[in-house]
Amino acid sequence: MKGEKAAKIKVAFLLMMATSFVLGFLYGIEERIYLFRLKNIDVVPNNVLIEREAANWTGRAARFWPLLFTSFSSWKSDIEARYPVSVSVKVNGWGKITIEWIHLQPSFIVKWHGIRWFITSNGMAWSEKNPLWESINADVRGMLTLKWDDSMPPLVPNESDLLGVRQSIFPVKSIVEFVEAVRNTPWVQSLNDIKLMRVAGELMVMITVASMGKDVNILLEFSKITWTNLSPALEAIVKSTDANRVFLDATYKDKIVIKTK
């Protein structure tokens, strides 16, 4: 038993010595030829903020670049929570890394408490104050801006934080359907303004449309079906008035209240 135990200790000692020798050998090579050093990192397209974030990430593994891939997932999650981007990484040779990023594409602009918020097709939101969004100067001309009334619940959690990206409660699908229904209505020339609000606890929408040379404001229940059902009556009223500005309150069950200016 003693001899067997001594043999095991001897084998363990030899393995430890061999491991130390191999590690020392590799360390010596690394010190001479920088075998595992990070040689190059590119950010595509160039962006000062992303380059700075990339430097903070890669700096921890500069001496052994394969370690980068053990932390990429958490780094990606952190970046995408702070900036409206999607990032990916690829290897372009030994020790050469390329980080590619694209900015998120908004579907709507929502104005809330004087700040513009950009909303994607899946409801992710960021404010115009986000430093990366400010730096890229994205072209959003022609994108419909919707107003979020003070009577509505908070558009995003933690409103005071204007820098991050987070999930909103914006009803993207319902808005898309409603806007398409209004724009496809033959007697509507253009949809110029839209505001979501709560009236007596019910979700309502105020829209401004150009129709027959007139500026028409319509308050109604926020529903594609409601718009479709009321459209013929609204058209008849707009046709019958000579006023250039018309306000129609269609929130009542059996009537439409008309005001003209």
Side-chain angles (χ1 to χ4, degrees), residues 22 56 68 90-91 103 106 142 158 163 172 174 183 187 235 250:
V22 170
N56 291 336
L68 289 173
K90 64 181 181 181
V91 179
H103 70 74
N158 193 10
L163 303 183
V172 176
S174 298
R183 284 177 167 169
W187 59 272
E235 179 185 12

Side-chain angles (χ1 to χ4, degrees), residues 1-10:
M1 293 292 293
K2 289 184 178 180
E4 192 175 318
K5 184 176 180 181
K8 288 182 179 180
I9 293 174
K10 183 177 181 180

